Amino acid sequence: MYFLSILFPLTYLSSALASVTVYSQQPLGGTASASAAAANYTGAAAYDPTVLQAPPVPNPAPNNTFAIQVQSSSSNVQGLSIPQTGAFMGFSVEMSVATQVIGLNGSFLQVPFLNLMANIKERAGRVHVRVGGNTQDYAYIVDSIPNGIAVEKDKLLSTNPTDTPTLMWTPELIYMMANVTALTNVKWYLGVPFNDSSNWRLQIAEVGDSVLGDNLLGLQAANEPDLYVSHGHRPSTYGPFDYFGEFGTLLQAMQSDNAINNKANLIGPNIATGAWTPEMVWDTGFITQYTSSLTALAVEHYPADNCVAVYGTGGTAVDPQTEFPNYLNHTSGYSIIQPYINSTQIAVAAGKPFLMMETNTASCGGFPGISDSFGATLWALDYGLQMAYYNFSGALLHVGGQNVYYNPFTPPPTNQSTFHQWTVGSVYYSALVIAEVFGSSNNSQIVDMYANNNNIYTPAYAVYENGSPSKVALFNYITDPSGATTYTANIQIAGGQVPASVKVKYLLAASVADKTNITWAGQTFGDVLSSDGRLLGNENVQTVNCDQTNNQCSVSVPAPGFALVFLSDSAYSDSAPSTTQTFATTAVTKTMNTATIAASLLATSNGHSGANRVLGSTSKGSSGAVGMGVRVPGAVALIATAIGSLVVGRVLMR
Ligand SMILES: *[C@@H]1O[C@H](CO)[C@@H](O)[C@H](O)[C@H]1NC(C)=O
Ligand SMILES: *[C@@H]1O[C@H](CO)[C@@H](O)[C@H](O)[C@H]1NC(C)=O
Ligand SMILES: *[C@@H]1O[C@H](CO)[C@@H](O)[C@H](O)[C@H]1NC(C)=O
Ligand SMILES: *[C@@H]1O[C@H](CO)[C@@H](O)[C@H](O)[C@H]1NC(C)=O
Ligand SMILES: *[C@@H]1O[C@H](CO)[C@@H](O)[C@H](O)[C@H]1NC(C)=O
Ligand SMILES: *[C@@H]1O[C@H](CO)[C@@H](O)[C@H](O)[C@H]1NC(C)=O
Ligand SMILES: *[C@@H]1O[C@H](CO)[C@@H](O)[C@H](O)[C@H]1NC(C)=O
Ligand SMILES: *[C@@H]1O[C@H](CO)[C@@H](O)[C@H](O)[C@H]1NC(C)=O
Ligand SMILES: *[C@@H]1O[C@H](CO)[C@@H](O)[C@H](O)[C@H]1NC(C)=O
Ligand SMILES: *[C@@H]1O[C@H](CO)[C@@H](O)[C@H](O)[C@H]1NC(C)=O
Ligand SMILES: *[C@@H]1O[C@H](CO)[C@@H](O)[C@H](O)[C@H]1NC(C)=O
């Protein structure tokens, strides 16, 4: 069912998703023109203009007013989660697209990617990113690739019968990751190739360990091993005990490899919950046998798939319009993680984090009109908070290539000129907001408040930090432009007193079907092919005065919408983006070719003052050796400062 959770090169998808090679941007107007354009759209999925209809207001509609009662002390709260961090929701970058998304190599970094990571880091302190996926299993190291590129598909094996492209990578991949960390504090997950358990290829563990050190959070041992049989990567008899055995031989190989210092950094079993349940793996004794080598337990999962539309064979075709309501209520997130609740309890008892290493709206690219909609923003946010409540310790949204609908961010096609820039997908906003929901304290605990109102369209959560209530998160999944389905949540503090006022940030769009004009506290990443990874517009934070006499703060939530209510000044400041000055890398226009870099770092980077510094320049017609190379000397000087000894290179912008 989940057999193609990665994004294959265009050749595989071209029949269904049409030719990506000659992409021309469609005008994206309102719903009507977008739908017309969608009818004959032949471009890449990432820019598909399909806009669905928002489902009608349900009957009965949710109550217009209800109380949300938080406790003055978390000791009175039942079922509070384990402590969570603002880095809870990160990203999973398919290894084959790492050079499109992250950079070409250590000295060519994608500036919009840096900005997108910096946005999370400013709120959460750091960002968690995995480079891997199905393509990790057949990856092999080479000394160099022409033009100094870090990763490339192996053209010689393009007829690989497994349908999995074989990748070559060089140590530049890991240097590139280290250099990204120096700028934006990204912490990484990698995976050990698992295609051949009698000849382990441990170079990624060796180089990863020595170059990334503590910034390597863990190494996946296998990627979706429960799908190896259906992918033809193992004999039909392959089961959980075989995986258990292979994990053991991997450990033996690592034990005798002196180039790997940290031999306790493995993550398993990373099953797709396709052919196996997690319990089938636990029942092999996996956790007890390997506990000293496991840094985390993990699964990967997509709640649905669009494989029929992509391949035209097998299964039942899904109509996105019919599927849409399944993403637009609180039951969705719960039903996805229900098979893992037993396992998160087992993980907590074993003292191991439990991770969702790869997820998104649907495998085989997601659904047009759903995966890139504001509905998906609300869905991924609720699903993420639901995972946090049920004691997962992190979740990574998958990033494929141009051929998927669900990317949190998509670089432009390689030969697009720089002015088209990146597309920030609707689920990126979910990760950004989760960074603020949990903030930077490392000590946020969350509880589902759904029972307060008991309506699947208007769920809520409360967050406690260091024992006190700090935030309330309020959802409205319904689209009703009339305003009649806007609701008011009366937030009360049992055993305490509401503050004189609270601050509120809204996540908004006109409809759950909208794909552009999504705003968080009034700021946006704009339309497709128009973002440099920085929020545009002025931040707009509401102040709501509370009724202290009646001990309640009344916060309204439009349909659709989401509100994050900060119950104290410290809750607000812990999550607020740190004061980071942003810099344009061009004198031509400040919205183009830009990097978000701390003024303090720049100020000391190379003797220049940071405040008004122009980091480089380009023009719409400029062209580099690969894509559109742009020289950004300031940013490279910054890299030199941050890591000490960098040979000055270039930052790629394409
Ligand atoms: C972009 O690349 C495609 C495929 O390589 C090619 O057909 C097309 O002409 C290129 N467009 C431009 C503007 O270079
Ligand atoms: C997005 O917002 C702008 C400014 O409010 C407006 O002009 C534009 O029509 C909106 N686009 C869509 C697709 O709603
Ligand atoms: C789609 O293509 C068909 C066949 O070329 C054409 O008849 C139809 O008008 C097109 N529809 C739109 C909305 O452009
Ligand atoms: C409205 O609130 C009442 C009282 O809490 C509850 O019983 C009822 O189910 C709610 N109705 C809806 C449609 O949510
Ligand atoms: C950053 O990348 C450059 C160029 O590839 C490389 O020489 C350098 O070692 C990298 N820095 C780190 C800390 O890995
Ligand atoms: C495993 O992958 C490597 C690198 O792609 C390849 O050379 C090797 O033949 C594969 N082995 C098996 C058993 O599939
Ligand atoms: C990084 O890639 C660029 C473009 O291909 C190349 O010019 C440069 O030499 C590469 N750097 C290294 C260290 O290989
Ligand atoms: C939880 O998992 C354990 C280990 O597989 C199993 O023994 C137990 O029955 C499971 N409990 C539930 C409620 O599924
Ligand atoms: C809510 O979502 C669940 C899970 O996706 C779905 O099964 C259910 O039909 C949805 N409910 C409604 C009323 O749409
Ligand atoms: C999460 O873990 C905490 C601490 O062990 C526990 O009290 C709580 O019940 C767990 N939550 C769920 C939903 O299992
Ligand atoms: C949160 O945890 C991270 C990772 O362990 C650590 O680097 C950071 O200093 C912690 N932050 C606080 C406020 O304790």
Side-chain angles (χ1 to χ4, degrees), residues 65 121 182 296 490 536:
T65 307
K121 181 219 158 192
N490 292 317
L536 299 173

Side-chain angles (χ1 to χ4, degrees), residues 106-107 172 175 178-179 211 643 646:
S107 47
E172 274 299 317
Y175 292 132
N179 288 352
V211 174
I643 64 182
L646 174 73

Side-chain angles (χ1 to χ4, degrees), residues 468-488:
S468 300
S470 70
K471 289 161 205 145
V472 172
L474 302 164
F475 288 76
N476 191 340
Y477 275 110
I478 296 166
T479 297
D480 182 0
S482 79
T485 320
T486 298
Y487 71 82
T488 300

